[in-house]
Amino acid sequence: MKELKENKSRQWIYTAVEKGYKVTKEGKIISPSGRKRVLSDNIRHKGASVYKRFGIRDAEGKNVNIDVHRFQGYAKFGDSIFGKGIHVRHL
């Protein structure tokens, strides 16, 4: 099940790139129109860190959320972030 989620997450990142979304060094998401996107917070469980994320519509037209730290990791390191045992830290 986790592998399926990872594949979807990867596809959503690819879709965001194809649509023209970009990320700055500071972690700001820039939409295809050039405007900064508003980021939402995602708390995975009580007491955990807050993950920033942004939403797009996937290839099927569904609203999906992408973690900013994963998108930024992909922008910097490419497909290597999807390797087995690789974790993208959010600092």
Side-chain angles (χ1 to χ4, degrees):
M1 183 68 166
K2 185 175 181 176
E3 186 175 323
L4 179 61
K5 184 181 182 304
E6 287 296 319
N7 287 337
K8 282 188 174 189
S9 174
R10 178 189 304 196
Q11 192 57 48
W12 297 337
I13 289 172
Y14 290 159
T15 299
V17 170
E18 288 170 5
K19 287 184 173 205
Y21 285 88
K22 295 183 176 27
V23 62
T24 67
K25 286 182 182 179
E26 296 80 23
K28 306 291 185 205
I29 301 298
I30 309 299
S31 72
S33 66
R35 297 188 321 204
K36 288 183 186 172
R37 291 293 307 266
V38 174
L39 304 177
S40 61
D41 293 339
N42 180 23
I43 301 172
R44 307 260 165 127
H45 52 83
K46 188 175 181 177
S49 299
V50 175
Y51 291 76
K52 295 291 185 186
R53 62 186 184 175
F54 67 103
I56 66 166
R57 288 192 189 273
D58 70 5
E60 299 167 359
K62 295 178 185 174
N63 291 325
V64 297
N65 292 306
I66 299 171
D67 289 332
V68 172
H69 68 282
R70 301 240 334 139
F71 190 68
Q72 191 170 30
Y74 179 76
K76 185 170 184 176
F77 300 110
D79 283 327
S80 65
I81 71 158
F82 302 123
K84 186 174 179 159
I86 301 296
H87 298 275
V88 178
R89 295 183 62 196
H90 57 101
L91 302 174

